PDB file of all heavy atoms in Angstrom:
ATOM      1  N   MET U   1      77.161  55.459 153.681  1.00 98.00           N
ATOM      2  CA  MET U   1      77.262  54.729 152.413  1.00 98.00           C
ATOM      3  C   MET U   1      77.453  55.676 151.236  1.00 98.00           C
ATOM      4  O   MET U   1      78.089  55.324 150.238  1.00 98.00           O
ATOM      5  CB  MET U   1      76.019  53.862 152.206  1.00 98.00           C
ATOM      6  CG  MET U   1      75.953  52.671 153.147  1.00 98.00           C
ATOM      7  SD  MET U   1      74.665  51.488 152.681  1.00 98.00           S
ATOM      8  CE  MET U   1      73.203  52.498 152.835  1.00 98.00           C
ATOM      9  N   ALA U   2      76.917  56.889 151.371  1.00 97.00           N
ATOM     10  CA  ALA U   2      77.068  57.884 150.307  1.00 97.00           C
ATOM     11  C   ALA U   2      78.426  58.574 150.352  1.00 97.00           C
ATOM     12  O   ALA U   2      78.747  59.381 149.461  1.00 97.00           O
ATOM     13  CB  ALA U   2      75.964  58.926 150.412  1.00 97.00           C
ATOM     14  N   GLY U   3      79.234  58.287 151.372  1.00 97.00           N
ATOM     15  CA  GLY U   3      80.550  58.889 151.483  1.00 97.00           C
ATOM     16  C   GLY U   3      80.557  60.272 152.087  1.00 97.00           C
ATOM     17  O   GLY U   3      81.599  60.940 152.110  1.00 97.00           O
ATOM     18  N   GLU U   4      79.420  60.740 152.605  1.00 98.00           N
ATOM     19  CA  GLU U   4      79.363  62.065 153.214  1.00 98.00           C
ATOM     20  C   GLU U   4      80.111  62.119 154.542  1.00 98.00           C
ATOM     21  O   GLU U   4      80.646  63.158 154.931  1.00 98.00           O
ATOM     22  CB  GLU U   4      77.908  62.474 153.445  1.00 98.00           C
ATOM     23  CG  GLU U   4      77.062  62.603 152.199  1.00 98.00           C
ATOM     24  CD  GLU U   4      75.606  62.903 152.544  1.00 98.00           C
ATOM     25  OE1 GLU U   4      75.345  63.353 153.690  1.00 98.00           O
ATOM     26  OE2 GLU U   4      74.733  62.685 151.680  1.00 98.00           O
ATOM     27  N   ILE U   5      80.113  61.001 155.256  1.00 98.00           N
ATOM     28  CA  ILE U   5      80.773  60.928 156.558  1.00 98.00           C
ATOM     29  C   ILE U   5      81.538  59.608 156.642  1.00 98.00           C
ATOM     30  O   ILE U   5      81.236  58.648 155.934  1.00 98.00           O
ATOM     31  CB  ILE U   5      79.752  61.005 157.718  1.00 98.00           C
ATOM     32  CG1 ILE U   5      78.666  59.943 157.565  1.00 98.00           C
ATOM     33  CG2 ILE U   5      79.142  62.397 157.814  1.00 98.00           C
ATOM     34  CD1 ILE U   5      77.688  59.864 158.726  1.00 98.00           C
ATOM     35  N   ARG U   6      82.548  59.590 157.518  1.00 97.00           N
ATOM     36  CA  ARG U   6      83.306  58.371 157.789  1.00 97.00           C
ATOM     37  C   ARG U   6      83.340  58.161 159.305  1.00 97.00           C
ATOM     38  O   ARG U   6      84.348  58.404 159.963  1.00 97.00           O
ATOM     39  CB  ARG U   6      84.720  58.472 157.213  1.00 97.00           C
ATOM     40  CG  ARG U   6      84.735  58.643 155.693  1.00 97.00           C
ATOM     41  CD  ARG U   6      86.147  58.639 155.142  1.00 97.00           C
ATOM     42  NE  ARG U   6      86.145  58.826 153.706  1.00 97.00           N
ATOM     43  CZ  ARG U   6      85.936  57.876 152.807  1.00 97.00           C
ATOM     44  NH1 ARG U   6      85.706  56.635 153.225  1.00 97.00           N
ATOM     45  NH2 ARG U   6      85.951  58.133 151.510  1.00 97.00           N
ATOM     46  N   PRO U   7      82.221  57.745 159.856  1.00 98.00           N
ATOM     47  CA  PRO U   7      82.094  57.728 161.322  1.00 98.00           C
ATOM     48  C   PRO U   7      82.924  56.645 161.998  1.00 98.00           C
ATOM     49  O   PRO U   7      83.103  55.540 161.478  1.00 98.00           O
ATOM     50  CB  PRO U   7      80.602  57.477 161.537  1.00 98.00           C
ATOM     51  CG  PRO U   7      80.160  56.754 160.293  1.00 98.00           C
ATOM     52  CD  PRO U   7      80.995  57.315 159.193  1.00 98.00           C
ATOM     53  N   ARG U   8      83.406  56.985 163.198  1.00 98.00           N
ATOM     54  CA  ARG U   8      84.077  56.052 164.092  1.00 98.00           C
ATOM     55  C   ARG U   8      83.544  56.285 165.502  1.00 98.00           C
ATOM     56  O   ARG U   8      83.023  57.350 165.809  1.00 98.00           O
ATOM     57  CB  ARG U   8      85.592  56.258 164.081  1.00 98.00           C
ATOM     58  CG  ARG U   8      86.264  55.988 162.738  1.00 98.00           C
ATOM     59  CD  ARG U   8      86.172  54.511 162.326  1.00 98.00           C
ATOM     60  NE  ARG U   8      86.683  53.618 163.350  1.00 98.00           N
ATOM     61  CZ  ARG U   8      87.979  53.336 163.526  1.00 98.00           C
ATOM     62  NH1 ARG U   8      88.883  53.922 162.751  1.00 98.00           N
ATOM     63  NH2 ARG U   8      88.370  52.487 164.459  1.00 98.00           N
ATOM     64  N   VAL U   9      83.726  55.308 166.366  1.00 98.00           N
ATOM     65  CA  VAL U   9      83.174  55.371 167.716  1.00 98.00           C
ATOM     66  C   VAL U   9      84.295  55.483 168.750  1.00 98.00           C
ATOM     67  O   VAL U   9      85.250  54.691 168.726  1.00 98.00           O
ATOM     68  CB  VAL U   9      82.310  54.134 168.028  1.00 98.00           C
ATOM     69  CG1 VAL U   9      81.725  54.231 169.445  1.00 98.00           C
ATOM     70  CG2 VAL U   9      81.196  53.975 167.002  1.00 98.00           C
ATOM     71  N   ALA U  10      84.166  56.443 169.643  1.00 98.00           N
ATOM     72  CA  ALA U  10      85.046  56.575 170.803  1.00 98.00           C
ATOM     73  C   ALA U  10      84.232  56.293 172.057  1.00 98.00           C
ATOM     74  O   ALA U  10      83.081  56.717 172.169  1.00 98.00           O
ATOM     75  CB  ALA U  10      85.638  57.982 170.868  1.00 98.00           C
ATOM     76  N   VAL U  11      84.825  55.592 173.009  1.00 98.00           N
ATOM     77  CA  VAL U  11      84.099  55.230 174.227  1.00 98.00           C
ATOM     78  C   VAL U  11      84.934  55.585 175.446  1.00 98.00           C
ATOM     79  O   VAL U  11      86.157  55.429 175.445  1.00 98.00           O
ATOM     80  CB  VAL U  11      83.735  53.724 174.236  1.00 98.00           C
ATOM     81  CG1 VAL U  11      84.967  52.842 174.141  1.00 98.00           C
ATOM     82  CG2 VAL U  11      82.927  53.364 175.473  1.00 98.00           C
ATOM     83  N   ALA U  12      84.248  56.085 176.492  1.00 98.00           N
ATOM     84  CA  ALA U  12      84.902  56.431 177.750  1.00 98.00           C
ATOM     85  C   ALA U  12      84.114  55.838 178.903  1.00 98.00           C
ATOM     86  O   ALA U  12      82.892  55.711 178.828  1.00 98.00           O
ATOM     87  CB  ALA U  12      85.009  57.948 177.902  1.00 98.00           C
ATOM     88  N   ARG U  13      84.830  55.493 179.960  1.00 98.00           N
ATOM     89  CA  ARG U  13      84.180  55.003 181.190  1.00 98.00           C
ATOM     90  C   ARG U  13      85.034  55.400 182.376  1.00 98.00           C
ATOM     91  O   ARG U  13      86.158  55.881 182.215  1.00 98.00           O
ATOM     92  CB  ARG U  13      83.960  53.487 181.131  1.00 98.00           C
ATOM     93  CG  ARG U  13      85.233  52.667 180.968  1.00 98.00           C
ATOM     94  CD  ARG U  13      84.942  51.170 180.987  1.00 98.00           C
ATOM     95  NE  ARG U  13      84.067  50.784 179.914  1.00 98.00           N
ATOM     96  CZ  ARG U  13      84.464  50.521 178.674  1.00 98.00           C
ATOM     97  NH1 ARG U  13      85.736  50.632 178.364  1.00 98.00           N
ATOM     98  NH2 ARG U  13      83.623  50.156 177.745  1.00 98.00           N
ATOM     99  N   ARG U  14      84.510  55.192 183.565  1.00 98.00           N
ATOM    100  CA  ARG U  14      85.218  55.459 184.812  1.00 98.00           C
ATOM    101  C   ARG U  14      85.048  54.236 185.724  1.00 98.00           C
ATOM    102  O   ARG U  14      84.229  53.355 185.431  1.00 98.00           O
ATOM    103  CB  ARG U  14      84.662  56.718 185.489  1.00 98.00           C
ATOM    104  CG  ARG U  14      84.881  58.012 184.704  1.00 98.00           C
ATOM    105  CD  ARG U  14      86.338  58.414 184.666  1.00 98.00           C
ATOM    106  NE  ARG U  14      86.559  59.647 183.926  1.00 98.00           N
ATOM    107  CZ  ARG U  14      86.810  59.691 182.609  1.00 98.00           C
ATOM    108  NH1 ARG U  14      86.865  58.572 181.897  1.00 98.00           N
ATOM    109  NH2 ARG U  14      87.015  60.852 182.016  1.00 98.00           N
ATOM    110  N   PRO U  15      85.773  54.190 186.845  1.00 98.00           N
ATOM    111  CA  PRO U  15      85.629  53.036 187.746  1.00 98.00           C
ATOM    112  C   PRO U  15      84.309  53.091 188.521  1.00 98.00           C
ATOM    113  O   PRO U  15      84.267  53.330 189.728  1.00 98.00           O
ATOM    114  CB  PRO U  15      86.853  53.154 188.666  1.00 98.00           C
ATOM    115  CG  PRO U  15      87.177  54.599 188.667  1.00 98.00           C
ATOM    116  CD  PRO U  15      86.856  55.084 187.280  1.00 98.00           C
ATOM    117  N   ILE U  16      83.217  52.900 187.782  1.00 98.00           N
ATOM    118  CA  ILE U  16      81.868  52.953 188.352  1.00 98.00           C
ATOM    119  C   ILE U  16      81.135  51.671 187.966  1.00 98.00           C
ATOM    120  O   ILE U  16      81.093  51.307 186.791  1.00 98.00           O
ATOM    121  CB  ILE U  16      81.067  54.161 187.816  1.00 98.00           C
ATOM    122  CG1 ILE U  16      81.824  55.473 188.017  1.00 98.00           C
ATOM    123  CG2 ILE U  16      79.711  54.223 188.500  1.00 98.00           C
ATOM    124  CD1 ILE U  16      81.139  56.659 187.338  1.00 98.00           C
ATOM    125  N   LEU U  17      80.536  51.034 188.948  1.00 98.00           N
ATOM    126  CA  LEU U  17      79.692  49.868 188.690  1.00 98.00           C
ATOM    127  C   LEU U  17      78.254  50.303 188.414  1.00 98.00           C
ATOM    128  O   LEU U  17      77.605  49.785 187.510  1.00 98.00           O
ATOM    129  CB  LEU U  17      79.758  48.932 189.896  1.00 98.00           C
ATOM    130  CG  LEU U  17      79.052  47.578 189.813  1.00 98.00           C
ATOM    131  CD1 LEU U  17      79.765  46.575 190.714  1.00 98.00           C
ATOM    132  CD2 LEU U  17      77.586  47.666 190.222  1.00 98.00           C
ATOM    133  N   TYR U  18      77.781  51.254 189.181  1.00 97.00           N
ATOM    134  CA  TYR U  18      76.377  51.691 189.079  1.00 97.00           C
ATOM    135  C   TYR U  18      76.315  53.176 189.385  1.00 97.00           C
ATOM    136  O   TYR U  18      76.833  53.641 190.404  1.00 97.00           O
ATOM    137  CB  TYR U  18      75.510  50.923 190.084  1.00 97.00           C
ATOM    138  CG  TYR U  18      74.051  51.324 190.118  1.00 97.00           C
ATOM    139  CD1 TYR U  18      73.112  50.621 189.369  1.00 97.00           C
ATOM    140  CD2 TYR U  18      73.619  52.383 190.920  1.00 97.00           C
ATOM    141  CE1 TYR U  18      71.764  50.981 189.416  1.00 97.00           C
ATOM    142  CE2 TYR U  18      72.280  52.740 190.953  1.00 97.00           C
ATOM    143  CZ  TYR U  18      71.356  52.033 190.201  1.00 97.00           C
ATOM    144  OH  TYR U  18      70.034  52.389 190.232  1.00 97.00           O
ATOM    145  N   ALA U  19      75.688  53.930 188.498  1.00 96.00           N
ATOM    146  CA  ALA U  19      75.466  55.359 188.706  1.00 96.00           C
ATOM    147  C   ALA U  19      74.411  55.818 187.714  1.00 96.00           C
ATOM    148  O   ALA U  19      73.704  55.000 187.108  1.00 96.00           O
ATOM    149  CB  ALA U  19      76.763  56.149 188.553  1.00 96.00           C
ATOM    150  N   LEU U  20      74.328  57.139 187.512  1.00 96.00           N
ATOM    151  CA  LEU U  20      73.354  57.730 186.588  1.00 96.00           C
ATOM    152  C   LEU U  20      71.937  57.258 186.897  1.00 96.00           C
ATOM    153  O   LEU U  20      71.111  57.073 185.999  1.00 96.00           O
ATOM    154  CB  LEU U  20      73.717  57.441 185.130  1.00 96.00           C
ATOM    155  CG  LEU U  20      75.031  58.070 184.648  1.00 96.00           C
ATOM    156  CD1 LEU U  20      75.292  57.682 183.188  1.00 96.00           C
ATOM    157  CD2 LEU U  20      75.006  59.586 184.812  1.00 96.00           C
ATOM    158  N   ASP U  21      71.673  57.016 188.192  1.00 95.00           N
ATOM    159  CA  ASP U  21      70.328  56.652 188.641  1.00 95.00           C
ATOM    160  C   ASP U  21      69.817  55.390 187.958  1.00 95.00           C
ATOM    161  O   ASP U  21      68.621  55.252 187.694  1.00 95.00           O
ATOM    162  CB  ASP U  21      69.363  57.821 188.390  1.00 95.00           C
ATOM    163  CG  ASP U  21      68.321  57.940 189.490  1.00 95.00           C
ATOM    164  OD1 ASP U  21      68.514  57.368 190.572  1.00 95.00           O
ATOM    165  OD2 ASP U  21      67.305  58.599 189.256  1.00 95.00           O
ATOM    166  N   GLY U  22      70.745  54.489 187.643  1.00 96.00           N
ATOM    167  CA  GLY U  22      70.342  53.246 186.995  1.00 96.00           C
ATOM    168  C   GLY U  22      69.809  53.448 185.592  1.00 96.00           C
ATOM    169  O   GLY U  22      69.200  52.547 185.026  1.00 96.00           O
ATOM    170  N   GLY U  23      70.040  54.623 185.028  1.00 96.00           N
ATOM    171  CA  GLY U  23      69.572  54.891 183.671  1.00 96.00           C
ATOM    172  C   GLY U  23      68.255  55.632 183.603  1.00 96.00           C
ATOM    173  O   GLY U  23      67.701  55.797 182.513  1.00 96.00           O
ATOM    174  N   ARG U  24      67.754  56.100 184.728  1.00 96.00           N
ATOM    175  CA  ARG U  24      66.481  56.836 184.709  1.00 96.00           C
ATOM    176  C   ARG U  24      66.673  58.162 183.974  1.00 96.00           C
ATOM    177  O   ARG U  24      67.343  59.077 184.469  1.00 96.00           O
ATOM    178  CB  ARG U  24      65.969  57.053 186.131  1.00 96.00           C
ATOM    179  CG  ARG U  24      65.587  55.737 186.802  1.00 96.00           C
ATOM    180  CD  ARG U  24      64.854  55.949 188.098  1.00 96.00           C
ATOM    181  NE  ARG U  24      64.421  54.656 188.643  1.00 96.00           N
ATOM    182  CZ  ARG U  24      63.559  54.515 189.636  1.00 96.00           C
ATOM    183  NH1 ARG U  24      63.026  55.577 190.202  1.00 96.00           N
ATOM    184  NH2 ARG U  24      63.214  53.319 190.059  1.00 96.00           N
ATOM    185  N   THR U  25      66.092  58.240 182.821  1.00 97.00           N
ATOM    186  CA  THR U  25      66.317  59.389 181.942  1.00 97.00           C
ATOM    187  C   THR U  25      65.486  60.605 182.340  1.00 97.00           C
ATOM    188  O   THR U  25      65.533  61.635 181.661  1.00 97.00           O
ATOM    189  CB  THR U  25      66.016  59.009 180.485  1.00 97.00           C
ATOM    190  OG1 THR U  25      64.710  58.407 180.402  1.00 97.00           O
ATOM    191  CG2 THR U  25      67.040  58.019 179.968  1.00 97.00           C
ATOM    192  N   THR U  26      64.747  60.481 183.433  1.00 94.00           N
ATOM    193  CA  THR U  26      63.997  61.624 183.969  1.00 94.00           C
ATOM    194  C   THR U  26      64.727  62.286 185.127  1.00 94.00           C
ATOM    195  O   THR U  26      64.250  63.280 185.673  1.00 94.00           O
ATOM    196  CB  THR U  26      62.608  61.176 184.451  1.00 94.00           C
ATOM    197  OG1 THR U  26      62.775  60.081 185.371  1.00 94.00           O
ATOM    198  CG2 THR U  26      61.749  60.718 183.287  1.00 94.00           C
TER     199      THR U  26
END
């Protein structure tokens, strides 16, 4: 809002249904 940054979002994925241990961050 202060004009310091002008952020945008980029997203990537692969042909995966389930991986990364279901999201277990440990």
